[in-house]
Coordinates of all heavy atoms in Angstrom, one line a residue:
M1 N 0.8 -1.2 0.0 CA 0.0 0.0 0.0 C 0.9 1.2 0.0 O 1.6 1.5 1.0 CB -0.9 0.0 1.2 CG -1.9 1.1 1.3 SD -3.2 0.9 2.5 CE -2.3 0.8 4.0
S2 N 0.9 2.0 -1.1 CA 1.8 3.2 -1.2 C 1.0 4.5 -1.1 O 1.5 5.5 -0.8 CB 2.6 3.1 -2.5 OG 1.7 3.1 -3.6
E3 N -0.3 4.4 -1.4 CA -1.2 5.5 -1.3 C -2.3 5.3 -0.2 O -2.8 4.2 -0.1 CB -1.9 5.8 -2.6 CG -0.9 6.2 -3.7 CD -0.4 7.6 -3.5 OE1 -1.1 8.5 -2.9 OE2 0.8 7.8 -3.8
P4 N -2.6 6.3 0.6 CA -3.7 6.1 1.5 C -5.0 5.9 0.8 O -5.2 6.4 -0.3 CB -3.6 7.3 2.4 CG -3.0 8.4 1.5 CD -2.1 7.6 0.6
K5 N -5.9 5.2 1.5 CA -7.2 5.0 1.0 C -8.0 6.3 1.3 O -8.0 6.8 2.5 CB -7.9 3.8 1.6 CG -9.3 3.6 1.3 CD -9.9 2.5 2.1 CE -11.4 2.4 2.1 NZ -12.0 1.3 2.9
A6 N -8.8 6.8 0.4 CA -9.6 8.0 0.7 C -10.8 7.4 1.5 O -11.6 6.6 1.1 CB -10.2 8.6 -0.6
A7 N -10.9 7.9 2.8 CA -12.0 7.5 3.6 C -13.2 8.3 3.4 O -14.3 8.0 4.0 CB -11.5 7.5 5.1
G8 N -13.1 9.4 2.7 CA -14.2 10.3 2.5 C -13.8 11.4 1.5 O -12.7 11.4 1.0
T9 N -14.7 12.2 1.1 CA -14.5 13.2 0.1 C -14.7 14.6 0.7 O -14.7 15.6 -0.1 CB -15.4 13.0 -1.1 OG1 -16.7 13.0 -0.7 CG2 -15.1 11.7 -1.8
A10 N -14.8 14.7 2.0 CA -15.0 16.0 2.6 C -14.5 15.9 4.1 O -14.5 14.8 4.6 CB -16.5 16.4 2.6
P11 N -14.1 17.0 4.7 CA -13.6 16.9 6.0 C -14.7 16.6 7.0 O -15.9 16.8 6.7 CB -13.0 18.3 6.3 CG -13.8 19.2 5.4 CD -14.1 18.4 4.1
I12 N -14.3 16.2 8.2 CA -15.3 16.0 9.3 C -15.0 17.0 10.3 O -13.9 17.2 10.8 CB -15.1 14.6 9.9 CG1 -15.5 13.5 8.9 CG2 -16.0 14.5 11.2 CD1 -15.2 12.1 9.4
K13 N -16.1 17.8 10.7 CA -15.9 18.8 11.8 C -16.0 18.0 13.1 O -16.9 17.3 13.4 CB -17.0 19.8 11.7 CG -16.9 20.9 12.7 CD -18.0 21.9 12.6 CE -17.9 23.0 13.6 NZ -19.0 24.0 13.5
V14 N -15.0 18.3 14.0 CA -14.9 17.6 15.2 C -14.6 18.6 16.3 O -14.0 19.7 16.1 CB -13.8 16.5 15.3 CG1 -14.1 15.4 14.3 CG2 -12.4 17.1 14.9
T15 N -15.0 18.3 17.5 CA -14.7 19.1 18.7 C -13.6 18.3 19.4 O -13.8 17.2 19.9 CB -15.9 19.3 19.6 OG1 -16.9 20.0 18.9 CG2 -15.5 20.1 20.9
L16 N -12.4 18.8 19.4 CA -11.2 18.2 20.0 C -11.0 18.7 21.4 O -11.0 19.9 21.6 CB -10.0 18.5 19.1 CG -10.0 18.0 17.7 CD1 -8.8 18.6 16.9 CD2 -9.9 16.4 17.7
E17 N -10.8 17.7 22.3 CA -10.4 18.1 23.7 C -9.0 18.3 23.7 O -8.2 17.9 22.9 CB -10.8 16.9 24.6 CG -12.3 16.5 24.5 CD -13.2 17.5 25.1 OE1 -12.8 18.3 26.0 OE2 -14.4 17.6 24.6
A18 N -8.5 19.1 24.8 CA -7.1 19.2 25.0 C -6.5 17.8 25.2 O -7.2 16.9 25.8 CB -6.9 20.1 26.2
G19 N -5.3 17.6 24.8 CA -4.6 16.3 25.0 C -4.2 15.7 23.7 O -4.1 16.4 22.7
R20 N -4.0 14.4 23.7 CA -3.4 13.7 22.6 C -4.5 13.1 21.7 O -5.5 12.6 22.2 CB -2.5 12.6 23.2 CG -1.4 13.1 24.0 CD -0.4 11.9 24.4 NE 0.2 11.4 23.2 CZ 0.9 10.3 23.2 NH1 1.0 9.5 24.3 NH2 1.5 9.8 22.1
H21 N -4.2 13.1 20.4 CA -5.1 12.6 19.5 C -4.3 11.8 18.4 O -3.1 12.1 18.2 CB -5.9 13.7 18.7 CG -6.6 14.5 19.7 ND1 -7.9 14.2 20.2 CD2 -6.3 15.7 20.3 CE1 -8.3 15.1 21.1 NE2 -7.4 16.1 21.1
A22 N -4.9 10.9 17.7 CA -4.2 10.2 16.6 C -5.1 10.2 15.4 O -6.2 9.6 15.4 CB -3.9 8.8 17.0
W23 N -4.7 10.9 14.3 CA -5.4 11.0 13.1 C -5.1 9.9 12.2 O -3.9 9.5 12.0 CB -5.0 12.4 12.4 CG -5.6 12.6 11.1 CD1 -6.9 13.0 10.8 CD2 -4.9 12.5 9.8 NE1 -7.0 13.1 9.4 CE2 -5.8 12.9 8.8 CE3 -3.6 12.2 9.5 CZ2 -5.4 12.9 7.5 CZ3 -3.2 12.2 8.1 CH2 -4.2 12.6 7.2
C24 N -6.1 9.2 11.6 CA -5.9 8.1 10.7 C -5.2 8.6 9.4 O -5.7 9.5 8.7 CB -7.2 7.5 10.3 SG -7.1 6.3 9.0
A25 N -4.0 8.1 9.1 CA -3.3 8.4 7.9 C -3.5 7.4 6.7 O -3.3 7.7 5.6 CB -1.8 8.5 8.2
C26 N -3.9 6.2 7.1 CA -4.0 5.1 6.1 C -5.4 5.2 5.4 O -5.5 4.7 4.2 CB -3.8 3.8 6.7 SG -5.1 3.2 7.8
G27 N -6.4 5.7 6.0 CA -7.8 5.7 5.5 C -8.6 4.5 5.8 O -9.7 4.4 5.3
E28 N -8.0 3.5 6.5 CA -8.7 2.2 6.8 C -9.5 2.3 8.1 O -10.3 1.4 8.3 CB -7.7 1.1 6.8 CG -7.0 0.9 5.5 CD -7.8 0.3 4.4 OE1 -9.0 -0.1 4.6 OE2 -7.4 0.3 3.2
S29 N -9.3 3.2 8.9 CA -10.0 3.3 10.2 C -11.5 3.4 10.0 O -12.0 4.1 9.2 CB -9.5 4.5 11.0 OG -10.3 4.6 12.2
K30 N -12.2 2.7 10.9 CA -13.7 2.7 10.9 C -14.2 3.9 11.8 O -15.4 4.0 12.0 CB -14.3 1.4 11.4 CG -13.8 0.2 10.5 CD -14.4 0.3 9.1 CE -14.1 -0.9 8.3 NZ -12.7 -1.0 7.8
T31 N -13.2 4.6 12.5 CA -13.6 5.6 13.4 C -13.0 6.9 12.8 O -12.4 7.7 13.6 CB -13.1 5.4 14.8 OG1 -11.7 5.2 14.8 CG2 -13.8 4.1 15.4
Q32 N -13.2 7.2 11.6 CA -12.7 8.4 10.9 C -13.2 9.7 11.7 O -14.3 9.7 12.1 CB -13.1 8.5 9.5 CG -12.5 7.4 8.6 CD -11.0 7.6 8.5 OE1 -10.5 8.7 8.5 NE2 -10.3 6.5 8.4
P33 N -12.3 10.7 11.8 CA -11.0 10.8 11.2 C -9.9 10.3 12.1 O -8.7 10.5 11.8 CB -10.8 12.3 11.0 CG -11.6 12.9 12.2 CD -12.7 11.9 12.4
F34 N -10.2 9.5 13.1 CA -9.3 9.1 14.1 C -8.8 7.6 13.9 O -9.5 6.8 13.2 CB -9.8 9.2 15.5 CG -10.3 10.6 15.8 CD1 -11.6 10.9 15.9 CD2 -9.3 11.6 16.1 CE1 -12.0 12.2 16.2 CE2 -9.7 12.9 16.3 CZ -11.0 13.2 16.4
C35 N -7.6 7.3 14.3 CA -7.0 6.0 14.2 C -7.8 5.0 15.0 O -8.2 5.3 16.2 CB -5.6 6.0 14.7 SG -4.7 4.4 14.7
D36 N -8.0 3.8 14.5 CA -8.6 2.7 15.3 C -7.7 1.5 15.2 O -8.1 0.4 15.7 CB -10.0 2.3 14.8 CG -10.0 1.6 13.4 OD1 -8.9 1.5 12.8 OD2 -11.1 1.1 13.0
G37 N -6.5 1.6 14.8 CA -5.5 0.6 14.8 C -5.5 -0.2 13.5 O -4.7 -1.2 13.3
S38 N -6.3 0.1 12.5 CA -6.4 -0.6 11.3 C -5.2 -0.6 10.4 O -5.0 -1.4 9.5 CB -7.6 -0.1 10.4 OG -8.8 -0.4 11.0
H39 N -4.3 0.4 10.7 CA -3.0 0.5 9.9 C -2.0 -0.6 10.2 O -1.1 -0.8 9.4 CB -2.3 1.8 10.2 CG -1.9 1.9 11.7 ND1 -2.8 2.3 12.6 CD2 -0.7 1.7 12.3 CE1 -2.1 2.3 13.8 NE2 -0.9 1.9 13.6
R40 N -2.2 -1.3 11.3 CA -1.2 -2.3 11.7 C -1.0 -3.3 10.6 O -2.0 -3.9 10.0 CB -1.7 -3.0 13.0 CG -1.6 -2.1 14.1 CD -1.8 -2.7 15.5 NE -1.9 -1.7 16.5 CZ -3.1 -1.5 17.2 NH1 -4.1 -2.2 17.0 NH2 -3.1 -0.5 18.1
G41 N 0.3 -3.6 10.3 CA 0.6 -4.5 9.2 C 0.8 -3.8 7.9 O 1.3 -4.4 6.9
G42 N 0.5 -2.5 7.8 CA 0.7 -1.7 6.6 C 1.8 -0.8 6.7 O 2.6 -0.8 7.6
T43 N 1.9 0.2 5.7 CA 3.1 1.1 5.7 C 2.8 2.4 6.3 O 3.7 3.2 6.5 CB 3.5 1.3 4.2 OG1 2.3 1.8 3.5 CG2 3.9 0.0 3.6
F44 N 1.5 2.6 6.7 CA 1.2 3.9 7.3 C 1.1 3.9 8.8 O 0.8 2.8 9.4 CB -0.2 4.4 6.8 CG -0.2 4.8 5.3 CD1 -0.5 3.8 4.3 CD2 0.2 6.0 4.9 CE1 -0.5 4.1 3.0 CE2 0.2 6.4 3.5 CZ -0.1 5.4 2.6
V45 N 1.4 5.0 9.4 CA 1.2 5.1 10.8 C 0.4 6.4 11.1 O 0.4 7.3 10.3 CB 2.6 5.3 11.6 CG1 3.4 4.0 11.5 CG2 3.4 6.5 11.0
P46 N -0.4 6.4 12.2 CA -1.2 7.6 12.4 C -0.4 8.8 12.8 O 0.7 8.7 13.2 CB -2.1 7.1 13.6 CG -1.3 6.0 14.3 CD -0.6 5.3 13.2
L47 N -1.0 9.9 12.5 CA -0.3 11.2 12.9 C -0.8 11.5 14.3 O -2.0 11.8 14.6 CB -0.7 12.3 12.0 CG -0.2 13.7 12.4 CD1 1.3 13.8 12.1 CD2 -0.9 14.8 11.7
K48 N 0.1 11.5 15.3 CA -0.2 11.8 16.6 C 0.0 13.3 16.9 O 1.1 13.8 16.5 CB 0.6 11.0 17.6 CG 0.3 9.5 17.4 CD 1.2 8.6 18.3 CE 0.8 7.2 18.2 NZ 1.7 6.3 18.9
F49 N -0.9 13.9 17.5 CA -0.8 15.4 17.8 C -1.4 15.7 19.2 O -2.3 15.0 19.6 CB -1.3 16.2 16.7 CG -2.8 16.1 16.5 CD1 -3.7 17.1 16.9 CD2 -3.4 15.0 15.8 CE1 -5.1 17.0 16.7 CE2 -4.7 14.9 15.6 CZ -5.6 15.9 16.1
T50 N -0.9 16.7 19.8 CA -1.3 17.1 21.1 C -1.8 18.6 21.1 O -1.1 19.4 20.5 CB -0.1 17.0 22.1 OG1 0.4 15.6 22.1 CG2 -0.6 17.3 23.5
L51 N -2.9 18.8 21.7 CA -3.5 20.1 21.8 C -3.4 20.6 23.3 O -3.7 19.9 24.2 CB -4.9 20.1 21.4 CG -5.2 19.8 19.9 CD1 -6.7 19.8 19.6 CD2 -4.5 20.8 19.0
E52 N -3.0 21.9 23.4 CA -2.9 22.5 24.7 C -4.3 22.8 25.2 O -4.6 22.9 26.4 CB -2.0 23.7 24.7 CG -0.6 23.4 24.4 CD 0.1 22.5 25.4 OE1 -0.2 22.7 26.6 OE2 0.9 21.7 25.0
A53 N -5.2 23.1 24.3 CA -6.6 23.5 24.6 C -7.5 22.9 23.6 O -7.1 22.6 22.4 CB -6.7 25.0 24.6
G54 N -8.7 22.7 24.0 CA -9.7 22.1 23.1 C -10.1 23.1 22.0 O -9.9 24.3 22.2
K55 N -10.6 22.6 20.9 CA -11.0 23.5 19.8 C -11.9 22.7 18.8 O -11.8 21.4 18.8 CB -9.8 24.1 19.1 CG -9.0 23.1 18.3 CD -7.9 23.9 17.6 CE -7.0 22.9 16.7 NZ -6.0 23.6 15.9
E56 N -12.6 23.4 18.0 CA -13.3 22.7 16.8 C -12.3 22.8 15.6 O -11.6 23.7 15.5 CB -14.6 23.4 16.5 CG -15.6 23.2 17.6 CD -17.0 23.8 17.2 OE1 -17.1 24.6 16.3 OE2 -18.0 23.3 17.8
A57 N -12.4 21.7 14.8 CA -11.5 21.7 13.7 C -12.2 20.8 12.6 O -13.0 20.0 12.9 CB -10.2 21.1 14.0
F58 N -11.7 21.0 11.3 CA -12.1 20.2 10.2 C -11.0 19.3 9.9 O -9.9 19.8 9.4 CB -12.5 21.1 9.0 CG -13.8 21.8 9.2 CD1 -13.8 23.1 9.8 CD2 -15.0 21.2 8.8 CE1 -15.0 23.8 9.9 CE2 -16.2 21.9 9.0 CZ -16.2 23.2 9.5
L59 N -11.1 18.0 10.2 CA -10.1 17.0 9.9 C -10.3 16.3 8.6 O -11.4 16.0 8.2 CB -10.0 16.0 11.1 CG -9.7 16.6 12.5 CD1 -9.4 15.5 13.4 CD2 -8.5 17.6 12.5
C60 N -9.2 16.1 7.9 CA -9.2 15.5 6.6 C -9.6 14.1 6.6 O -9.1 13.3 7.5 CB -7.8 15.7 6.0 SG -7.5 14.8 4.4
T61 N -10.4 13.7 5.7 CA -10.8 12.3 5.5 C -10.3 11.7 4.1 O -10.2 10.5 4.0 CB -12.3 12.0 5.6 OG1 -12.9 12.7 4.5 CG2 -12.9 12.5 6.9
C62 N -10.0 12.6 3.2 CA -9.5 12.2 1.9 C -8.1 11.7 1.9 O -7.6 11.0 1.0 CB -9.7 13.2 0.8 SG -8.5 14.6 0.8
K63 N -7.3 12.1 2.9 CA -5.9 11.7 3.2 C -5.0 12.3 2.2 O -3.8 11.9 2.1 CB -5.8 10.2 3.2 CG -6.8 9.5 4.1 CD -6.8 10.0 5.5 CE -7.9 9.4 6.4 NZ -8.0 10.0 7.7
Q64 N -5.4 13.4 1.5 CA -4.5 14.1 0.5 C -4.1 15.4 1.0 O -3.3 16.1 0.3 CB -5.2 14.2 -0.8 CG -5.7 13.0 -1.5 CD -4.5 12.0 -1.8 OE1 -3.5 12.5 -2.3 NE2 -4.6 10.8 -1.4
T65 N -4.5 15.8 2.2 CA -4.1 17.1 2.7 C -2.6 17.3 2.9 O -1.9 16.3 3.2 CB -4.8 17.4 4.1 OG1 -4.4 18.7 4.5 CG2 -4.4 16.4 5.1
K66 N -2.1 18.5 2.7 CA -0.7 18.8 2.9 C -0.5 19.4 4.3 O 0.6 19.8 4.7 CB -0.1 19.7 1.9 CG -0.3 19.2 0.5 CD 0.6 18.0 0.2 CE 0.5 17.5 -1.2 NZ -0.7 16.9 -1.6
N67 N -1.6 19.5 5.1 CA -1.6 20.1 6.4 C -2.3 19.2 7.4 O -3.1 19.6 8.2 CB -2.3 21.5 6.3 CG -2.2 22.2 7.6 OD1 -1.1 22.1 8.3 ND2 -3.2 23.0 8.0
A68 N -1.9 17.9 7.4 CA -2.5 16.9 8.3 C -2.3 17.3 9.7 O -1.3 17.8 10.1 CB -1.9 15.5 8.0
P69 N -3.3 17.1 10.5 CA -4.6 16.3 10.3 C -5.7 17.2 9.7 O -6.8 16.7 9.5 CB -5.0 15.8 11.7 CG -4.6 17.0 12.6 CD -3.2 17.5 11.9
Y70 N -5.4 18.5 9.4 CA -6.4 19.4 9.1 C -6.7 19.4 7.6 O -5.8 19.3 6.8 CB -6.0 20.8 9.5 CG -5.8 20.9 11.0 CD1 -4.4 20.9 11.5 CD2 -6.8 20.8 12.0 CE1 -4.1 20.9 12.8 CE2 -6.5 20.8 13.3 CZ -5.2 20.9 13.7 OH -4.9 20.8 15.1
C71 N -7.9 19.6 7.2 CA -8.3 19.8 5.8 C -7.6 21.0 5.2 O -7.7 22.1 5.9 CB -9.8 19.9 5.7 SG -10.4 20.3 4.0
D72 N -7.1 20.9 4.0 CA -6.5 22.1 3.4 C -7.2 22.4 2.0 O -6.7 23.1 1.2 CB -5.0 21.9 3.1 CG -4.7 20.9 2.1 OD1 -5.6 20.2 1.6 OD2 -3.4 20.8 1.8
G73 N -8.3 21.7 1.8 CA -9.1 21.9 0.6 C -8.7 21.0 -0.6 O -9.3 21.0 -1.6
S74 N -7.7 20.1 -0.3 CA -7.2 19.2 -1.4 C -8.3 18.3 -1.9 O -8.3 17.8 -3.0 CB -6.0 18.3 -0.9 OG -4.9 19.1 -0.7
H75 N -9.3 18.0 -1.1 CA -10.4 17.1 -1.5 C -11.2 17.6 -2.6 O -11.8 16.9 -3.3 CB -11.3 16.8 -0.3 CG -12.0 18.0 0.2 ND1 -11.5 18.9 1.2 CD2 -13.3 18.5 -0.1 CE1 -12.4 19.9 1.4 NE2 -13.4 19.7 0.6
K76 N -11.2 18.9 -2.8 CA -11.9 19.6 -3.9 C -11.4 19.2 -5.3 O -12.1 19.3 -6.3 CB -11.9 21.1 -3.8 CG -12.6 21.5 -2.5 CD -12.5 23.0 -2.3 CE -13.2 23.5 -1.0 NZ -12.8 24.9 -0.7
A77 N -10.1 18.7 -5.3 CA -9.5 18.3 -6.6 C -9.7 16.8 -6.9 O -9.2 16.3 -7.9 CB -8.0 18.6 -6.6
L78 N -10.4 16.1 -6.0 CA -10.6 14.6 -6.3 C -11.7 14.4 -7.2 O -12.6 15.2 -7.4 CB -10.9 14.0 -4.9 CG -9.7 14.0 -3.9 CD1 -10.2 13.3 -2.6 CD2 -8.5 13.4 -4.4
Ligands
LIG101 S1 -10.9 16.2 3.3 FE1 -8.8 15.9 2.8 S2 -8.1 17.9 2.2 FE2 -10.3 18.2 2.8

């Protein structure tokens, strides 16, 4: 697997709590946009990130963003 699977064609708006999060990079997770461990055995690893404070955000599901885990509008070109 050299390309991530597109899990969606639009971002998901989420309310993120302060603390650690893991964004699905492979596209196989059933709990998009977050990692559920489905990457195991493949070439992708989740993007782990930590927030000092909670916030709302649009997280990428198409897996083509250049600003992971956040949507950068790349899905519009799919
Ligand atoms: S959903 Fe991937 S760039 Fe917007």
